Short mmCIF file of all heavy atoms in Angstrom, two decimals:
data_model
loop_
_atom_site.label_atom_id
_atom_site.label_comp_id
_atom_site.label_asym_id
_atom_site.label_seq_id
_atom_site.Cartn_x
_atom_site.Cartn_y
_atom_site.Cartn_z
N ALA A 27 -13.94 -115.33 -99.70
CA ALA A 27 -15.38 -115.51 -99.88
C ALA A 27 -15.59 -116.77 -100.70
O ALA A 27 -14.76 -117.13 -101.52
CB ALA A 27 -15.95 -114.30 -100.62
N THR A 28 -16.68 -117.44 -100.47
CA THR A 28 -16.91 -118.66 -101.21
C THR A 28 -17.87 -118.42 -102.36
O THR A 28 -18.77 -117.59 -102.27
CB THR A 28 -17.51 -119.75 -100.29
OG1 THR A 28 -18.71 -119.24 -99.72
CG2 THR A 28 -16.54 -120.13 -99.20
N ALA A 29 -17.64 -119.14 -103.44
CA ALA A 29 -18.54 -119.08 -104.58
C ALA A 29 -19.73 -119.97 -104.28
O ALA A 29 -19.81 -120.60 -103.22
CB ALA A 29 -17.81 -119.55 -105.84
N ALA A 30 -20.66 -120.05 -105.22
CA ALA A 30 -21.84 -120.91 -105.03
C ALA A 30 -21.40 -122.34 -104.78
O ALA A 30 -20.37 -122.78 -105.29
CB ALA A 30 -22.72 -120.83 -106.27
N PRO A 31 -22.17 -123.11 -104.00
CA PRO A 31 -21.81 -124.50 -103.75
C PRO A 31 -21.70 -125.28 -105.05
O PRO A 31 -22.37 -124.96 -106.03
CB PRO A 31 -22.98 -125.03 -102.92
CG PRO A 31 -23.72 -123.83 -102.43
CD PRO A 31 -23.40 -122.71 -103.36
N ALA A 32 -20.85 -126.30 -105.06
CA ALA A 32 -20.62 -127.09 -106.27
C ALA A 32 -21.92 -127.64 -106.84
O ALA A 32 -22.06 -127.77 -108.05
CB ALA A 32 -19.64 -128.22 -105.98
N THR A 33 -22.88 -127.95 -106.00
CA THR A 33 -24.14 -128.50 -106.50
C THR A 33 -24.94 -127.46 -107.28
O THR A 33 -25.75 -127.80 -108.12
CB THR A 33 -25.01 -129.02 -105.34
OG1 THR A 33 -25.19 -127.96 -104.40
CG2 THR A 33 -24.36 -130.21 -104.67
N ALA A 34 -24.71 -126.17 -107.01
CA ALA A 34 -25.45 -125.13 -107.71
C ALA A 34 -24.72 -124.65 -108.97
O ALA A 34 -25.27 -123.93 -109.77
CB ALA A 34 -25.68 -123.94 -106.78
N ALA A 35 -23.46 -125.05 -109.12
CA ALA A 35 -22.69 -124.61 -110.28
C ALA A 35 -23.09 -125.39 -111.52
O ALA A 35 -23.51 -126.54 -111.44
CB ALA A 35 -21.20 -124.82 -110.00
N PRO A 36 -22.95 -124.77 -112.71
CA PRO A 36 -23.27 -125.49 -113.92
C PRO A 36 -22.35 -126.68 -114.12
O PRO A 36 -21.24 -126.71 -113.60
CB PRO A 36 -23.06 -124.46 -115.03
CG PRO A 36 -22.50 -123.24 -114.39
CD PRO A 36 -22.55 -123.42 -112.91
N ALA A 37 -22.79 -127.64 -114.88
CA ALA A 37 -22.02 -128.87 -115.10
C ALA A 37 -20.67 -128.58 -115.72
O ALA A 37 -19.73 -129.34 -115.55
CB ALA A 37 -22.81 -129.83 -115.98
N THR A 38 -20.53 -127.46 -116.44
CA THR A 38 -19.28 -127.14 -117.11
C THR A 38 -18.34 -126.33 -116.23
O THR A 38 -17.25 -125.98 -116.66
CB THR A 38 -19.55 -126.34 -118.40
OG1 THR A 38 -20.25 -125.15 -118.04
CG2 THR A 38 -20.36 -127.15 -119.38
N ALA A 39 -18.74 -125.99 -115.01
CA ALA A 39 -17.92 -125.13 -114.15
C ALA A 39 -16.61 -125.81 -113.80
O ALA A 39 -16.54 -127.00 -113.58
CB ALA A 39 -18.68 -124.77 -112.88
N LYS A 40 -15.55 -125.00 -113.75
CA LYS A 40 -14.22 -125.47 -113.40
C LYS A 40 -13.85 -124.84 -112.06
O LYS A 40 -14.66 -124.19 -111.44
CB LYS A 40 -13.23 -125.05 -114.48
CG LYS A 40 -13.58 -125.64 -115.85
CD LYS A 40 -12.68 -125.08 -116.92
CE LYS A 40 -13.13 -125.61 -118.27
NZ LYS A 40 -12.46 -124.96 -119.38
N GLY A 41 -12.59 -125.02 -111.65
CA GLY A 41 -12.13 -124.44 -110.40
C GLY A 41 -12.16 -122.92 -110.45
O GLY A 41 -12.50 -122.34 -111.47
N PRO A 42 -11.80 -122.27 -109.34
CA PRO A 42 -11.89 -120.82 -109.30
C PRO A 42 -10.93 -120.15 -110.27
O PRO A 42 -9.82 -120.60 -110.47
CB PRO A 42 -11.55 -120.48 -107.85
CG PRO A 42 -10.81 -121.65 -107.34
CD PRO A 42 -11.31 -122.84 -108.10
N GLY A 43 -11.39 -119.06 -110.84
CA GLY A 43 -10.55 -118.24 -111.70
C GLY A 43 -10.10 -117.02 -110.92
O GLY A 43 -10.79 -116.56 -110.01
N VAL A 44 -8.94 -116.51 -111.22
CA VAL A 44 -8.42 -115.33 -110.55
C VAL A 44 -8.32 -114.22 -111.59
O VAL A 44 -7.76 -114.40 -112.66
CB VAL A 44 -7.03 -115.61 -109.93
CG1 VAL A 44 -6.49 -114.37 -109.24
CG2 VAL A 44 -7.12 -116.77 -108.95
N PHE A 45 -8.91 -113.06 -111.26
CA PHE A 45 -8.96 -111.95 -112.20
C PHE A 45 -8.99 -110.63 -111.45
O PHE A 45 -9.19 -110.60 -110.24
CB PHE A 45 -10.20 -112.07 -113.09
CG PHE A 45 -11.50 -112.06 -112.32
CD1 PHE A 45 -12.15 -110.87 -112.03
CD2 PHE A 45 -12.06 -113.24 -111.86
CE1 PHE A 45 -13.34 -110.87 -111.31
CE2 PHE A 45 -13.24 -113.25 -111.14
CZ PHE A 45 -13.88 -112.05 -110.87
N VAL A 46 -8.81 -109.55 -112.18
CA VAL A 46 -8.89 -108.20 -111.63
C VAL A 46 -10.00 -107.46 -112.36
O VAL A 46 -10.10 -107.51 -113.57
CB VAL A 46 -7.55 -107.45 -111.81
CG1 VAL A 46 -7.64 -106.02 -111.27
CG2 VAL A 46 -6.42 -108.20 -111.14
N THR A 47 -10.86 -106.80 -111.60
CA THR A 47 -11.93 -105.98 -112.15
C THR A 47 -11.41 -104.56 -112.29
O THR A 47 -10.80 -104.03 -111.37
CB THR A 47 -13.15 -106.00 -111.20
OG1 THR A 47 -13.63 -107.34 -111.10
CG2 THR A 47 -14.26 -105.10 -111.72
N ASN A 48 -11.65 -103.96 -113.45
CA ASN A 48 -11.15 -102.62 -113.72
C ASN A 48 -12.28 -101.71 -114.18
O ASN A 48 -13.23 -102.16 -114.82
CB ASN A 48 -10.09 -102.64 -114.84
CG ASN A 48 -8.84 -103.35 -114.42
OD1 ASN A 48 -8.09 -102.86 -113.60
ND2 ASN A 48 -8.61 -104.52 -114.99
N GLY A 49 -12.15 -100.43 -113.89
CA GLY A 49 -13.11 -99.44 -114.36
C GLY A 49 -12.56 -98.05 -114.24
O GLY A 49 -11.69 -97.80 -113.40
N ASP A 50 -13.02 -97.16 -115.09
CA ASP A 50 -12.60 -95.77 -114.96
C ASP A 50 -13.68 -94.98 -114.22
O ASP A 50 -14.79 -95.46 -114.02
CB ASP A 50 -12.24 -95.15 -116.31
CG ASP A 50 -13.38 -95.12 -117.31
OD1 ASP A 50 -14.51 -95.49 -116.95
OD2 ASP A 50 -13.14 -94.74 -118.47
N ARG A 51 -13.32 -93.79 -113.80
CA ARG A 51 -14.26 -92.94 -113.07
C ARG A 51 -15.29 -92.36 -114.04
O ARG A 51 -15.02 -92.20 -115.23
CB ARG A 51 -13.53 -91.82 -112.36
CG ARG A 51 -12.68 -92.33 -111.22
CD ARG A 51 -12.08 -91.18 -110.46
NE ARG A 51 -11.21 -91.70 -109.41
CZ ARG A 51 -10.44 -90.93 -108.66
NH1 ARG A 51 -10.42 -89.63 -108.85
NH2 ARG A 51 -9.69 -91.46 -107.74
N VAL A 52 -16.44 -92.03 -113.52
CA VAL A 52 -17.48 -91.41 -114.32
C VAL A 52 -16.97 -90.06 -114.82
O VAL A 52 -16.34 -89.31 -114.07
CB VAL A 52 -18.78 -91.24 -113.51
CG1 VAL A 52 -19.86 -90.56 -114.35
CG2 VAL A 52 -19.28 -92.61 -113.01
N HIS A 53 -17.25 -89.78 -116.08
CA HIS A 53 -16.80 -88.55 -116.72
C HIS A 53 -17.81 -88.14 -117.79
O HIS A 53 -18.71 -88.91 -118.12
CB HIS A 53 -15.42 -88.77 -117.37
CG HIS A 53 -15.41 -89.91 -118.34
ND1 HIS A 53 -15.27 -91.23 -117.94
CD2 HIS A 53 -15.55 -89.95 -119.69
CE1 HIS A 53 -15.32 -92.02 -119.00
NE2 HIS A 53 -15.49 -91.26 -120.07
N ILE A 54 -17.66 -86.95 -118.34
CA ILE A 54 -18.50 -86.51 -119.45
C ILE A 54 -17.90 -87.08 -120.72
O ILE A 54 -16.71 -86.91 -120.99
CB ILE A 54 -18.59 -84.96 -119.52
CG1 ILE A 54 -19.24 -84.40 -118.26
CG2 ILE A 54 -19.37 -84.54 -120.78
CD1 ILE A 54 -20.66 -84.87 -118.00
N SER A 55 -18.72 -87.76 -121.51
CA SER A 55 -18.25 -88.38 -122.74
C SER A 55 -17.75 -87.33 -123.72
O SER A 55 -18.29 -86.22 -123.79
CB SER A 55 -19.40 -89.17 -123.38
OG SER A 55 -18.97 -89.74 -124.60
N SER A 56 -16.75 -87.69 -124.49
CA SER A 56 -16.21 -86.76 -125.49
C SER A 56 -17.07 -86.73 -126.75
O SER A 56 -16.88 -85.87 -127.60
CB SER A 56 -14.78 -87.16 -125.85
OG SER A 56 -14.76 -88.46 -126.40
N THR A 57 -18.01 -87.66 -126.88
CA THR A 57 -18.88 -87.69 -128.06
C THR A 57 -20.28 -87.23 -127.68
O THR A 57 -20.80 -87.62 -126.64
CB THR A 57 -18.95 -89.10 -128.67
OG1 THR A 57 -19.39 -90.02 -127.68
CG2 THR A 57 -17.58 -89.55 -129.18
N PRO A 58 -20.90 -86.38 -128.53
CA PRO A 58 -22.25 -85.90 -128.24
C PRO A 58 -23.28 -87.03 -128.31
O PRO A 58 -23.00 -88.04 -128.97
CB PRO A 58 -22.51 -84.87 -129.34
CG PRO A 58 -21.21 -84.68 -130.06
CD PRO A 58 -20.33 -85.81 -129.73
N PRO A 59 -24.41 -86.86 -127.66
CA PRO A 59 -24.80 -85.74 -126.82
C PRO A 59 -24.09 -85.79 -125.47
O PRO A 59 -23.46 -86.79 -125.12
CB PRO A 59 -26.31 -85.95 -126.65
CG PRO A 59 -26.48 -87.43 -126.71
CD PRO A 59 -25.46 -87.89 -127.72
N ARG A 60 -24.21 -84.74 -124.68
CA ARG A 60 -23.56 -84.65 -123.37
C ARG A 60 -24.10 -85.76 -122.47
O ARG A 60 -25.29 -85.81 -122.16
CB ARG A 60 -23.82 -83.28 -122.75
CG ARG A 60 -23.10 -83.05 -121.44
CD ARG A 60 -23.33 -81.62 -120.94
NE ARG A 60 -22.76 -81.43 -119.63
CZ ARG A 60 -21.48 -81.20 -119.37
NH1 ARG A 60 -20.63 -81.11 -120.35
NH2 ARG A 60 -21.06 -81.06 -118.12
N THR A 61 -23.23 -86.66 -122.07
CA THR A 61 -23.63 -87.79 -121.23
C THR A 61 -22.59 -88.06 -120.16
O THR A 61 -21.40 -87.81 -120.34
CB THR A 61 -23.77 -89.09 -122.06
OG1 THR A 61 -22.53 -89.38 -122.71
CG2 THR A 61 -24.87 -89.00 -123.08
N ALA A 62 -23.08 -88.60 -119.03
CA ALA A 62 -22.18 -89.16 -118.02
C ALA A 62 -21.82 -90.54 -118.55
O ALA A 62 -22.67 -91.27 -119.07
CB ALA A 62 -22.89 -89.27 -116.68
N SER A 63 -20.55 -90.90 -118.47
CA SER A 63 -20.08 -92.14 -119.09
C SER A 63 -19.02 -92.80 -118.21
O SER A 63 -18.28 -92.12 -117.51
CB SER A 63 -19.48 -91.80 -120.46
OG SER A 63 -18.97 -92.93 -121.10
N ALA A 64 -18.96 -94.13 -118.28
CA ALA A 64 -17.92 -94.88 -117.57
C ALA A 64 -17.74 -96.21 -118.29
O ALA A 64 -18.63 -96.69 -118.99
CB ALA A 64 -18.28 -95.10 -116.11
N HIS A 65 -16.57 -96.81 -118.09
CA HIS A 65 -16.22 -98.07 -118.76
C HIS A 65 -15.77 -99.11 -117.72
O HIS A 65 -15.25 -98.75 -116.67
CB HIS A 65 -15.06 -97.85 -119.74
CG HIS A 65 -15.32 -96.75 -120.71
ND1 HIS A 65 -14.93 -95.45 -120.47
CD2 HIS A 65 -15.94 -96.75 -121.91
CE1 HIS A 65 -15.30 -94.69 -121.49
NE2 HIS A 65 -15.92 -95.46 -122.38
N ALA A 66 -15.95 -100.38 -118.07
CA ALA A 66 -15.50 -101.48 -117.21
C ALA A 66 -14.90 -102.58 -118.07
O ALA A 66 -15.31 -102.78 -119.21
CB ALA A 66 -16.67 -102.03 -116.40
N TRP A 67 -13.92 -103.29 -117.50
CA TRP A 67 -13.28 -104.41 -118.18
C TRP A 67 -12.65 -105.31 -117.14
O TRP A 67 -12.69 -105.02 -115.95
CB TRP A 67 -12.25 -103.92 -119.21
CG TRP A 67 -11.10 -103.15 -118.64
CD1 TRP A 67 -9.87 -103.64 -118.30
CD2 TRP A 67 -11.06 -101.75 -118.33
NE1 TRP A 67 -9.08 -102.62 -117.81
CE2 TRP A 67 -9.78 -101.46 -117.82
CE3 TRP A 67 -11.99 -100.71 -118.44
CZ2 TRP A 67 -9.40 -100.18 -117.42
CZ3 TRP A 67 -11.61 -99.43 -118.03
CH2 TRP A 67 -10.34 -99.18 -117.54
N TRP A 68 -12.06 -106.42 -117.56
CA TRP A 68 -11.44 -107.33 -116.62
C TRP A 68 -10.11 -107.81 -117.18
O TRP A 68 -9.88 -107.78 -118.39
CB TRP A 68 -12.35 -108.51 -116.29
CG TRP A 68 -12.51 -109.51 -117.40
CD1 TRP A 68 -13.21 -109.35 -118.56
CD2 TRP A 68 -11.95 -110.82 -117.46
NE1 TRP A 68 -13.13 -110.47 -119.33
CE2 TRP A 68 -12.36 -111.40 -118.67
CE3 TRP A 68 -11.15 -111.56 -116.61
CZ2 TRP A 68 -11.98 -112.68 -119.06
CZ3 TRP A 68 -10.78 -112.84 -116.99
CH2 TRP A 68 -11.20 -113.39 -118.19
N THR A 69 -9.23 -108.25 -116.27
CA THR A 69 -7.92 -108.75 -116.66
C THR A 69 -7.70 -110.12 -116.01
O THR A 69 -7.83 -110.26 -114.79
CB THR A 69 -6.81 -107.78 -116.20
OG1 THR A 69 -7.10 -106.48 -116.70
CG2 THR A 69 -5.45 -108.24 -116.71
N HIS A 70 -7.40 -111.11 -116.82
CA HIS A 70 -7.15 -112.48 -116.35
C HIS A 70 -5.80 -112.51 -115.63
O HIS A 70 -4.83 -111.92 -116.08
CB HIS A 70 -7.13 -113.42 -117.56
CG HIS A 70 -6.82 -114.83 -117.21
ND1 HIS A 70 -5.56 -115.36 -117.32
CD2 HIS A 70 -7.61 -115.82 -116.74
CE1 HIS A 70 -5.59 -116.62 -116.94
NE2 HIS A 70 -6.82 -116.93 -116.59
N VAL A 71 -5.76 -113.19 -114.48
CA VAL A 71 -4.51 -113.35 -113.74
C VAL A 71 -4.05 -114.79 -113.81
O VAL A 71 -2.91 -115.07 -114.20
CB VAL A 71 -4.68 -112.91 -112.26
CG1 VAL A 71 -3.41 -113.19 -111.47
CG2 VAL A 71 -5.04 -111.43 -112.18
N SER A 72 -4.91 -115.74 -113.46
CA SER A 72 -4.55 -117.15 -113.53
C SER A 72 -5.80 -118.01 -113.49
O SER A 72 -6.90 -117.51 -113.21
CB SER A 72 -3.61 -117.54 -112.37
OG SER A 72 -4.31 -117.46 -111.14
N GLY A 73 -5.62 -119.29 -113.75
CA GLY A 73 -6.74 -120.22 -113.72
C GLY A 73 -7.52 -120.22 -115.02
O GLY A 73 -7.16 -119.54 -115.98
N PRO A 74 -8.60 -120.97 -115.03
CA PRO A 74 -9.40 -121.08 -116.25
C PRO A 74 -10.22 -119.81 -116.48
O PRO A 74 -10.33 -118.96 -115.60
CB PRO A 74 -10.31 -122.27 -115.96
CG PRO A 74 -10.45 -122.27 -114.47
CD PRO A 74 -9.12 -121.78 -113.93
N GLY A 75 -10.78 -119.72 -117.63
CA GLY A 75 -11.66 -118.59 -117.95
C GLY A 75 -11.06 -117.68 -118.99
O GLY A 75 -10.03 -117.06 -118.74
N THR A 76 -11.69 -117.63 -120.15
CA THR A 76 -11.20 -116.76 -121.22
C THR A 76 -12.18 -115.65 -121.54
O THR A 76 -11.82 -114.67 -122.17
CB THR A 76 -10.93 -117.56 -122.50
OG1 THR A 76 -12.14 -118.21 -122.91
CG2 THR A 76 -9.84 -118.60 -122.29
N LYS A 77 -13.42 -115.80 -121.09
CA LYS A 77 -14.44 -114.77 -121.31
C LYS A 77 -15.22 -114.55 -120.02
O LYS A 77 -15.34 -115.45 -119.19
CB LYS A 77 -15.41 -115.19 -122.41
CG LYS A 77 -14.86 -115.01 -123.82
CD LYS A 77 -15.94 -115.24 -124.84
CE LYS A 77 -16.24 -113.92 -125.49
NZ LYS A 77 -17.21 -114.03 -126.59
N ALA A 78 -15.75 -113.35 -119.89
CA ALA A 78 -16.55 -113.01 -118.71
C ALA A 78 -17.68 -112.09 -119.12
O ALA A 78 -17.55 -111.30 -120.06
CB ALA A 78 -15.69 -112.33 -117.65
N LYS A 79 -18.79 -112.22 -118.41
CA LYS A 79 -19.88 -111.27 -118.58
C LYS A 79 -19.57 -110.11 -117.64
O LYS A 79 -19.52 -110.28 -116.42
CB LYS A 79 -21.22 -111.88 -118.23
CG LYS A 79 -22.38 -110.90 -118.37
CD LYS A 79 -23.71 -111.53 -118.02
CE LYS A 79 -24.83 -110.51 -118.17
NZ LYS A 79 -26.12 -111.10 -117.76
N VAL A 80 -19.33 -108.93 -118.20
CA VAL A 80 -19.00 -107.74 -117.42
C VAL A 80 -20.23 -106.84 -117.42
O VAL A 80 -20.73 -106.46 -118.48
CB VAL A 80 -17.78 -106.99 -117.99
CG1 VAL A 80 -17.47 -105.76 -117.15
CG2 VAL A 80 -16.57 -107.92 -118.07
#
Side-chain angles (χ1 to χ4, degrees):
T28 57
T33 55
T38 59
K40 300 174 184 171
V44 180
F45 59 90
V46 178
T47 298
N48 293 290
D50 60 6
R51 291 186 183 173
V52 178
H53 56 278
I54 298 299
S55 178
S56 61
T57 56
R60 184 176 174 80
T61 58
S63 178
H65 307 92
W67 63 96
W68 72 287
T69 306
H70 178 263
V71 175
S72 67
T76 58
K77 282 189 111 175
K79 179 180 180 183
V80 180

